[in-house]
Amino acid sequence: MIEGFGCTRALAVMAAVCWLGTGCTGGAPDAPPNVLLVTLDTLRADYIGTYGFEAETTPFIDALAERSVVFERAIAASARTAPSHASILTSRWVRYHSIGHVNGTTRLLDEPTLAEQFAAAGYDTAAFVSNPLLTRRIGLDRGFDVYDDELSVSARSGVVERDADATSERAEAWLGAERDKPWFAWVHFQDPHGPYTAPPPFERVELRAQPDEVPLPPLSNPSGYKGIPDYQVLEGVHLPSEYRSRYAGEIRYVDAAVGRIVAAAENSSPPRPLVLLLTADHGESLGEYGFWFAHGFTTMPEQTHVPLVLMAPGLKPQRRSELVHHVDILPTLLHAAGLPVPETAQGVALGPLLSEALDAWPDRIVFADIGTEVGAFQQDRMVRVFLFFGIGRKDPSSWEHWRWESDGSMTRREEDMTLRAPVSEYIARQPPLNETVKIDPAQAKRLRALGYLDPESNR
Ligand SMILES: [Zn+2]
């Protein structure tokens, strides 16, 4: 199992200063940097320009990527919102944090969080979230001075969420305040999440024509299997390409908000170095294996391949193909700020791995986990394990072996026994689930409106 560095603060500061290229000879470190974490809900990597998408969906993210490190193969901890964000904020695999695979009724226990580390180091901290699954009742607010989770029914989508304009307005106001201390901010944008109803002029992005496509029937459930999930149905819209075009429109809309947030962070006063990391909590199925416009039910790349873009002073822009994961975010950001990484961290700080002197990437296995299915990735290999009787089952029922090709496609391959022992060890882990958060009928209705499957039964 990959563990954190657990280095002393002095060593961490020295390492970060060397990484930033400002003082390897032991001179006084620069001012602590501001740190911005941006998470985008439901954004699959291959719909982003810098990840090869066919149309212009992300001019601002692409511009950011030009001056950043772009990790081409980043894997999400889960295909669900709450578990992935818990892994991002704690650097724990899904089976090692107390939210587990559950999406909305478990609560984070005492795992050290990213915000707590920054708060303890004297940072001002704030979070701005836009999805009802991320409100403070699940415990991700720990360590934040400000946790802005004021959500209401969106006039645009008709469901409880906050659109990118409203969230960025709040975040920009906070980032624009004059302050003596450095800050850490987490901004979560909801918009690529269905229903795909971006405001004008972002309603849709013109995509390549699909001449032979067949209209999809609307479903009366959120599964998306061979039809349009109930929460995604747009009146009079039946063609898959039209939904994909509107999904791309949502991305174009949220990209503009990313541009505003980045500008606000870079213009923060007084001026400080800025460390910025952008990722997504999970992707979205757009027809793969018969599933449309939904997520949360598979660990295949359409739902777990996410962007990961890292910018920091002195860090040379580059593209990397090594496998990275949500659990790497906490160590990476703390290390970049010269702060110690807690021993509980299961990821690695990516900054030091980018330098030639320390170019020794761990040949590790990373996990995507939805409770009933675990996807284990190692380089271009993937093992997909089905756990039909749910979490806690120690005798997996079936394994699939895949190769993740360089073009992003998946091909089946021969059984590979070398992954069986470490993956079995991970699956056998009993998660410390803390299912204490009750959902009242009104909250359940809000979550169903976003397609979440039966939140009362913790799926
Ligand atoms: Zn999500």
Side-chain angles (χ1 to χ4, degrees):
M1 188 57 62
I2 303 295
E3 296 297 342
F5 289 151
C7 51
T8 65
R9 179 185 168 82
L11 286 173
V13 169
M14 181 67 73
V17 169
C18 287
W19 168 38
L20 297 174
T22 54
C24 292
T25 57
D30 286 346
N34 294 325
V35 180
L36 176 63
L37 170 64
V38 178
T39 62
L40 303 164
D41 217 293
T42 322
L43 177 57
R44 48 187 283 165
D46 62 359
Y47 264 58
I48 296 173
T50 196
Y51 285 83
F53 191 53
E54 65 179 75
E56 185 180 69
T57 45
T58 52
F60 290 101
I61 294 174
D62 296 346
L64 176 67
E66 286 291 314
R67 49 197 180 112
S68 302
V69 182
V70 176
F71 292 95
E72 295 173 337
R73 293 206 160 193
I75 295 296
S78 174
R80 296 175 180 166
T81 306
S84 280
H85 279 95
S87 288
I88 290 169
L89 295 176
T90 65
S91 187
R92 306 286 286 168
W93 306 112
V94 166
R95 285 179 193 236
Y96 287 74
H97 62 59
S98 52
I99 282 182
H101 67 279
V102 184
N103 211 10
T105 58
T106 46
R107 185 173 172 80
L108 199 68
L109 291 174
D110 56 358
E111 299 93 334
T113 68
L114 185 56
E116 285 179 314
Q117 307 305 307
F118 280 116
Y123 275 62
D124 284 343
T125 57
F128 303 86
V129 300
S130 312
N131 183 323
L133 286 171
L134 297 178
T135 54
R136 66 191 68 201
R137 63 196 172 77
I138 65 168
L140 296 182
D141 59 313
R142 196 147 41 78
F144 286 107
D145 306 325
V146 172
Y147 196 82
D148 185 338
D149 58 353
E150 290 179 29
L151 311 182
S152 58
V153 176
S154 163
R156 179 162 61 84
S157 66
V159 298
V160 173
E161 61 182 357
R162 189 162 61 186
D163 68 24
D165 283 328
T167 296
S168 60
E169 192 175 306
R170 297 286 194 99
E172 284 172 284
W174 190 85
L175 293 169
E178 187 94 14
R179 52 173 51 86
D180 297 330
K181 296 193 282 184
W183 51 257
F184 165 61
W186 165 36
V187 181
H188 162 270
F189 288 120
Q190 167 79 345
D191 297 86
H193 196 293
Y196 308 146
T197 52
F202 304 108
E203 296 98 322
R204 60 193 306 284
V205 171
E206 197 67 39
L207 304 181
R208 274 198 297 265
Q210 303 287 331
D212 300 326
E213 66 179 341
V214 177
L216 292 169
L219 303 175
S220 57
N221 62 67
S223 73
Y225 186 58
K226 295 189 175 178
I228 305 164
D230 51 3
Y231 73 102
Q232 291 277 25
V233 173
L234 300 173
E235 193 174 344
V237 181
H238 303 286
L239 289 177
S241 62
E242 187 57 32
Y243 279 89
R244 282 199 290 260
S245 174
R246 294 183 189 221
Y247 175 64
E250 290 268 24
I251 295 168
R252 182 65 187 83
Y253 169 57
V254 81
D255 177 76
V258 169
R260 289 205 302 278
I261 291 295
V262 171
E266 293 191 312
N267 292 325
S268 184
S269 181
R272 286 180 180 275
L274 176 66
V275 175
L276 193 159
L277 193 149
L278 178 145
T279 190
D281 60 349
H282 51 75
E284 181 91 314
S285 282
L286 297 174
E288 292 85 358
Y289 315 105
F291 284 93
W292 296 94
F293 321 130
H295 55 265
F297 53 83
T298 181
T299 61
M300 296 293 273
E302 65 270 18
Q303 292 195 21
T304 58
H305 178 210
V306 291
L308 202 156
V309 176
L310 172 65
M311 184 182 76
L315 196 58
K316 190 174 138 195
Q318 58 194 289
R319 302 184 72 87
R320 304 295 297 219
S321 59
E322 293 89 348
L323 207 54
V324 299
H325 191 273
H326 276 163
V327 296
D328 300 330
I329 291 173
L330 177 147
T332 296
L333 294 181
L334 290 175
H335 187 274
L339 299 175
V341 177
E343 298 283 357
T344 50
Q346 293 178 303
V348 296
L350 298 174
L353 294 171
L354 298 170
S355 70
E356 288 183 21
L358 296 172
D359 193 11
W361 288 76
D363 185 20
R364 59 179 173 162
I365 300 170
V366 301
F367 302 100
D369 189 347
I370 57 170
T372 53
E373 180 184 315
V374 170
F377 296 77
Q378 185 182 39
Q379 298 175 1
D380 64 347
R381 298 183 296 168
M382 184 224 184
V383 174
R384 184 185 187 192
V385 189
F386 297 92
L387 306 168
F388 290 117
F389 296 103
I391 210 156
R393 180 189 168 103
K394 293 184 179 179
D395 184 19
S397 53
S398 65
W399 296 52
E400 285 180 0
H401 299 260
W402 295 84
R403 176 169 290 105
W404 194 10
E405 307 289 357
S406 56
D407 66 358
S409 64
M410 299 293 284
T411 54
R412 293 293 289 267
R413 61 183 178 83
E414 296 293 307
E415 187 175 61
D416 180 355
M417 297 301 288
T418 61
L419 290 174
R420 187 166 286 265
V423 175
S424 296
E425 180 190 349
Y426 172 80
I427 290 169
R429 165 81 181 183
Q430 297 295 318
L433 295 181
N434 178 26
E435 301 188 30
T436 60
V437 181
K438 299 298 179 196
I439 292 184
D440 63 35
Q443 287 172 320
K445 187 177 174 189
R446 289 176 205 150
L447 294 176
R448 282 203 197 90
L450 286 165
Y452 296 116
L453 300 174
D454 196 8
E456 289 100 331
S457 69
N458 292 340
R459 287 195 58 195

